Each structure stands twice: as structure tokens, then as C-alpha cells.
Amino acid sequence: MRSTLMSMLLVMSMILAACGGAAPAPTAPPAAQPEAPAQPEAPASGAVGVTPTDLTGISSEITDLPAVFNAEAARQYAGTTLRFYGDAIGLGSDMDKAMAAKFSEETGINVVVLPRPQDATEFYAQIQRFFQAQSTETDVFMMDVIWPGAFATHLYDVSDIFAAEAKLHYPNIVENNTVDGKLTALPWFGDFGMLFYRTDLLQEYGYNAPPTTWDELEEIAKTVQEGERAKGNPNFVGFVWQGAAYEGLTCNLLEWFYSQDAGTFLQDGTVTINNPQAVAALERAAGWVGSISPKGVVSYREEDARNVFQGGNAMFMRNWPYAYSAADTDDSPIKDKFDVAPLPVTAPGQPAGTVGGWQLAISNYSQNKGAAVEFVRYATSPQMQKWRALVGTFVPTIPIVSEDEEVIEAMPFLRNLSPVVRVTRPSRETGELYNEASTIIFQSANEALLGSTSAADALARAEQQLQRLIR
Ligand code: GLC
């Protein structure tokens, strides 16, 4: 028992330690950046007490949130209204509203939760517009793990204010969020791609284990799809994933590539996206569209895939950990009928999971920085991360939370993922150009999936465009 627990702790720590492993390099700020406005409300560095680390008594009920331990410090900002761009997928949106309500109740600070666009690329564009306009309308944002390099100059420097809190988190995620020595955001949760599968159907169709190769996945998906359709469900599909032209496709493509020995798009300053294994991997995925995957998968994002899988209409799904808690709720048709495995490989590739994850950042243009600091302090705290892990299977970024026994129990799937290599998107190599680089990548891949161009042509063009972009 003890050794099982220890090995799970180790897996969890390894996974989290890998998050942000190949982090975006600190990038130089653009030449002409506007001055940050005066910060009348900003607290002096280290002015507020250190976040407590006692994790006992944290509930797994969505309505039973941890106490606002910093309520006293926060109450000096009572009457302020904070606008927070929070989550919009899975249980995340309801959890953010519950968190905001609890914080408001105990501090008198009103928090308006704006659900982020579900599409990470759209969210990026929206934040970019806010920052270009130096909009004072939004105070706190979710920040994707790939964004600190691009947005650093617009983010409030929390290096001193959160010096103690930063020490609680995995150092490489903090490093990922640090640009030119400035801490731009506190980590909120980690993410990685994984394969969800239906345990009941696997057994029913005579398979004793989830697939470990892409060939096996295709075979099982085809068999179960044909069987379920013959039984009278014309909507049943073998495999759902994220094929729309947005950031999520870059994440899927990276997993297809790495797991089939096709590299990681860019390596050591060289564009490596166009190679025979890469062409084969993209051709394989294009072959899924309209066969084991629905035709519409070319416009699927996370929630489209989850709706199909959770509705009981797919054998396999590629998604992030949030989808586990959502599919495991009492009213989910597949509760207790699914599990998680590493994404498959084609030898000599290794099982891969793209590293994702989100931080909480405060806008430089916020007029409510003091209140925002207290909100972020509460939202990213060990207590809150434990609650988020228990309720929403959001992966903690704080080792003492990952190692908590109740948290380990709430995320049993993590122990299946020990062989997975956590691959990072090339945000280190491309810095501020990452979004453009990813756009080239996902647009080319999406065209190949649509069949409007061949995989070979799509990758040859992406190669040229990336070379022009990063030279
Ligand atoms: C998840 C990941 C994030 C990624 C996004 C793509 O939210 O955490 O890093 O960019 O998915 O859709």
C-alpha cells in the first residue's frame, strides 16, 4: 500500500515537474511599450501575511469552498469591483463563480466572472486587443502556459508581492512565468493530453487493455463503431479529438508527431516540421476524418469532443484532465464506464502528452491591483488548489498539494500515465512569435485534415513559412 502510494506520488511529481519544463525563454520587451499607469492600490511588497499551507478539512463539494484566509487583508478593498476572465470549460466555469462568490462574501470585494472564450486562440486575440488598448476594464486573467513571453510587458510584476507564494509551486512553472526576471503570473493548474476510453465497451468487444499503438486504436475504434452503429446508434464514433484550426490542434499534432518519431516542429533553432514520419502522422490523422472520427472533427475544440464522449457516443477521446471530473459527475451517462491511458505510439515513438496549463495574471492597466492581488493569492493558494483538484480534477502546481493523499485518490488516472513523455510546444524557441508560429502549424494541419491539400504539401508550406518567421 505504502509503496503504491509512494510510486503515485512520484508519478504526480514527475508530471508536474515536467509542466513548463521547456518553458518559453524570457523575451525582450518590444521597443515602444506604454508606461504602466500609477498603481495607487498596489500593496507594498510582502505587506500581506504568507499563505497558509494546512490542507486538512478541504471539502470535495463544489459549494463548500476553503475559507478566504486573507479576508482581513482583502477587506481594505471592500466595495471594489474586480473583473476576472475565468474558465469556460467543464466544471471550471461553475467553480470560478463559486470561488468569486465566496471571496466576495468574505471580503466585500465584488468579483465579476467573465467566462473566457473556449477557444484558446480566440482568447489570445481578445487579451491582445485589451492590452493594445490598455483597457482598464479587466483586472485578472487566466494566462496560458505558452503566453508569458508574449504578454509580459502588459502584466503586473508580482515578483516581490508573491515571493513567498511562488516558492510553494514547482520551480519550472514559476520559471516559465518569469520573463526578464519579472514574475508575471502565479501558476493555477497544470494540463497534459491523455487518452480517455470506454472501459465497458472495451470489455464488451473482447479487448483486455486499451490500445498502445495507433494501429490498435484504429482497429478497436473501427470495430466498436461498426458494432454500436449496428446496434442502432448511428451517431456513435470511434475517436474524437481537437481538429479545429486553433491552438488545441497544435497540441494534438505535437502528440501525433512525437509519438510517431516525427519530432517537435522546431528543434535547436531549426524547423523540423517537414519529415517523412511527420507526413505519415498527418496522413494518418487525415484518414480518421469521416472514418473512425466524425467529419465535423475538423472544427472540434475541447468541449465538442467532450460532449460526444460524455454523451456516450465515442469509444476514445483525446482531452485534458478537466474532462475526467466532468464525465464523472452523477448525471454523466458514462460515469464509472471510462478510464484514462497514455496516448498511443507508432514505434519507435514514445507515448506523448502535450504540456498545457494556466496561470493567473493581473493586468498592468488594472485600477484595482490591491484587490486583484488578494484575489489571486486566494485563487492560487494550496487550499484552493486542493479544492480544485478534488472537485474538478484540475492538476495542482504545488507539490504539497500533489502529494496530499485525498488529492491522489481523487485523480486515480494519473498513475496510468507514468510512461508518458511531457512534450512542450516551441514557445521557448519562438518567444513573442509563438502565436504566429502555432497559427502556421494549426492552419496547415487543418487544411490537410480537411483534405484541401495533401499532408506533404501542407507540411512543406508550413516549413517555409516557419523558416521565414523565425529567421
Ligand atoms: C488547454 C491547455 C492549454 C492549451 C489549450 C489548447 O487549455 O491547458 O495550454 O493551449 O488547451 O486548446
Side-chain angles (χ1 to χ4, degrees), residues 331-370:
D331 58 355
S332 163
I334 59 163
K335 185 174 171 60
D336 299 326
K337 294 182 184 162
F338 70 95
D339 203 351
V340 164
L343 287 157
V345 304
T346 303
Q350 287 174 277
T354 296
V355 173
W358 292 84
Q359 341 301 314
L360 291 185
I362 300 167
S363 165
N364 244 340
Y365 315 113
S366 163
Q367 303 293 299
N368 307 302
K369 293 195 181 72

Side-chain angles (χ1 to χ4, degrees), residues 230-295:
K231 278 203 259 162
N233 181 357
N235 298 324
F236 195 91
V237 290
F239 184 30
V240 289
W241 36 279
Q242 294 79 40
Y246 83 119
E247 186 60 34
L249 177 53
T250 299
C251 298
N252 282 244
L253 190 73
L254 183 60
E255 288 155 358
W256 303 336
F257 275 22
Y258 195 87
S259 67
Q260 307 195 68
D261 199 31
T264 54
F265 311 143
L266 291 168
Q267 269 151 288
D268 302 326
T270 306
V271 177
T272 59
I273 196 166
N274 184 18
N275 64 72
Q277 296 93 309
V279 173
L282 186 52
E283 268 168 3
R284 182 195 282 274
W288 298 334
V289 180
S291 61
I292 59 168
S293 302
K295 279 210 177 86

Side-chain angles (χ1 to χ4, degrees), residues 189-269:
F189 64 92
D191 251 347
F192 31 81
M194 49 198 207
L195 181 72
F196 292 74
Y197 66 96
R198 288 283 298 277
T199 46
D200 56 335
L201 295 175
L202 197 71
Q203 200 187 15
E204 187 182 326
Y205 286 83
Y207 299 98
N208 48 25
T212 55
T213 67
W214 289 109
D215 282 348
E216 268 169 32
L217 177 137
E218 288 173 355
E219 201 246 88
I220 301 172
K222 186 166 178 283
T223 305
V224 179
Q225 178 175 298
E226 278 168 8
E228 291 301 293
R229 286 185 184 184
K231 278 203 259 162
N233 181 357
N235 298 324
F236 195 91
V237 290
F239 184 30
V240 289
W241 36 279
Q242 294 79 40
Y246 83 119
E247 186 60 34
L249 177 53
T250 299
C251 298
N252 282 244
L253 190 73
L254 183 60
E255 288 155 358
W256 303 336
F257 275 22
Y258 195 87
S259 67
Q260 307 195 68
D261 199 31
T264 54
F265 311 143
L266 291 168
Q267 269 151 288
D268 302 326

Side-chain angles (χ1 to χ4, degrees), residues 116 120 144-146 191 246-248 251 302 320 356-358 425:
R116 70 169 174 97
D144 202 335
V145 70
I146 49 180
D191 251 347
Y246 83 119
E247 186 60 34
C251 298
E302 283 80 4
W320 310 97
W358 292 84
R425 287 162 277 175

Side-chain angles (χ1 to χ4, degrees), residues 2-17 170 399-409 414-415:
R2 186 151 187 88
S3 70
T4 322
L5 186 68
M6 286 313 288
S7 62
M8 282 165 62
L9 287 181
L10 193 68
V11 169
M12 201 110 165
S13 311
M14 277 166 21
I15 290 170
L16 270 299
Y170 288 103
I400 55 160
V401 182
S402 314
E403 290 156 15
D404 182 273
E405 273 190 53
E406 285 173 288
V407 169
I408 292 171
E409 237 172 77
L414 289 180
R415 96 189 119 210

Side-chain angles (χ1 to χ4, degrees), residues 407-426:
V407 169
I408 292 171
E409 237 172 77
M411 298 187 158
F413 56 91
L414 289 180
R415 96 189 119 210
N416 302 343
L417 299 175
S418 51
V420 175
V421 180
R422 309 287 148 191
V423 280
T424 50
R425 287 162 277 175

